[in-house]
Amino acid sequence: MDFYLLVLLNGLAYAALLFLLASGLSLVYGVGRVLHLAHGGFYMLGGYIGYTLVQRLGDFWLALALVPLCALVVGWVVERLVSLVYGPGRALEQVLFTFGLAFVISDLTRFFWGAQVLGVAVPSSLNRPVVLGPLVYPAYPLFLIGMGVLVALGLWASLRFTPFGLQVRAAAGHPSMAEALGVPTRKVLQRTYLLGVALAALAGFAGAPRIALAPGLDFTMLILGLIVVVLGGLGSVTGALYGALLVGLVDSFGKAFLPQFSQALIFLIMALVLIFRPEGLLGGKR
């Protein structure tokens, strides 16, 4: 029983990181129908920026607060470039453009931080075990789970009860009608894009103590983020949450019981969803 609880908690911690990454990806697609393939680059960039901040400032928590802000500066510049290919009927241009940006971000991180594997130490306040009944478990993954829950609740409340959330839902549902009614859809898309960048960077740094920083991490996380979004349904934040939970738990239990097929299991589930429910588990629901 202790073993199953251990695997479950590991899966939930991983799911929390995937949700932070995929929720922004899903929001950007939902509002602007833009499949942002540079999104994994912001995950990795957040990890590297956080690594440098910890080295310079020596404070994990201050770095955690600064990483999204630093990523926003880079994200604003990149968003201005991506906005050149906004618009209906430009899906291929958007895919190629953002995929090219992903390579640029990858090369820039390699230029500034090198190709060696880097890691961030767990903060001392969370570098201890926690007793959960019969199980003794590290505190840091529990922090990741708690952060994922808080971000999910914050996104839900923001989308439901704020003017920004109302604009996002209007732009995602009927963009042309929303624009005709005075909703600034371009500005909404820009704010949504920056929110997604901040969340991806936050995930990259928060995940750095458990997932080492190395070249190629951006494309690995991008693929996982896309799987989460496809499983949950493109454009649905709630779907991203369900998709992240599914991928995180399948990955964790797969590594525990079928380690040689753990990656294949994730792709198998995605294939089954695409065959029997191509719109995703919660496609159309936001």
Side-chain angles (χ1 to χ4, degrees):
M1 186 65 185
D2 298 357
F3 175 71
Y4 290 103
L5 181 57
L6 174 71
V7 176
L8 174 66
L9 291 174
N10 284 340
L12 291 177
Y14 192 36
L17 294 176
L18 292 176
F19 172 69
L20 291 179
L21 172 69
S23 55
L25 193 62
S26 190
L27 274 173
V28 171
Y29 182 84
V31 174
R33 299 297 186 270
V34 177
L35 193 55
H36 186 231
L37 297 182
H39 206 67
F42 286 106
Y43 176 95
M44 187 169 71
L45 189 62
Y48 278 121
I49 291 175
Y51 169 82
T52 299
L53 289 174
V54 169
Q55 295 296 312
R56 300 287 177 87
L57 304 175
D59 189 327
F60 179 91
W61 301 109
L62 182 58
L64 188 70
L66 291 177
V67 161
L69 300 178
C70 294
L72 283 177
V73 176
V74 181
W76 182 82
V77 175
V78 175
E79 193 277 338
R80 290 294 80 201
L81 294 173
V82 177
S83 68
L84 297 173
V85 291
Y86 283 165
R90 307 187 71 179
L92 180 60
E93 294 171 56
Q94 291 163 6
V95 166
L96 293 174
F97 195 85
T98 57
F99 201 49
L101 281 174
F103 279 107
V104 172
I105 294 174
S106 179
D107 284 348
L108 285 176
T109 54
R110 191 188 299 260
F111 175 78
F112 285 110
W113 285 278
Q116 66 270 30
V117 177
L118 302 176
V120 176
V122 174
S124 57
S125 57
L126 294 179
N127 193 15
R128 58 185 175 82
V130 174
V131 178
L132 300 172
L135 178 67
V136 178
Y137 192 73
Y140 192 73
L142 296 177
F143 162 73
L144 293 179
I145 296 171
M147 186 172 68
V149 171
L150 286 177
V151 170
L153 289 174
L155 280 176
W156 174 78
S158 174
L159 290 174
R160 286 291 172 190
F161 304 117
T162 67
F164 171 68
L166 182 63
Q167 291 179 336
V168 168
R169 285 186 283 132
H174 302 283
S176 55
M177 183 179 294
E179 196 157 358
L181 292 173
V183 176
T185 53
R186 282 294 182 107
K187 285 189 176 178
V188 173
L189 177 55
Q190 183 185 40
R191 293 168 187 164
T192 305
Y193 184 99
L194 294 177
L195 175 62
V197 164
L199 289 175
L202 182 66
F205 178 57
R210 290 175 64 85
I211 304 174
L213 299 168
L217 178 64
D218 48 350
F219 288 101
T220 301
M221 297 309 294
L222 171 65
I223 291 171
L224 288 170
L226 289 173
I227 291 174
V228 167
V229 170
V230 168
L231 285 175
L234 284 164
S236 169
V237 174
T238 308
L241 176 60
Y242 282 101
L245 286 171
L246 186 58
V247 172
L249 293 177
V250 168
D251 178 79
S252 183
F253 280 93
K255 286 176 178 172
F257 295 103
L258 292 169
Q260 64 274 42
F261 298 113
S262 61
Q263 295 295 314
L265 284 174
I266 295 174
F267 286 97
L268 176 63
I269 289 177
M270 184 187 70
L272 290 174
V273 170
L274 286 174
I275 292 170
F276 295 105
R277 195 172 174 81
E279 71 275 21
L281 298 175
L282 292 183
K285 297 180 181 179
R286 296 182 173 83

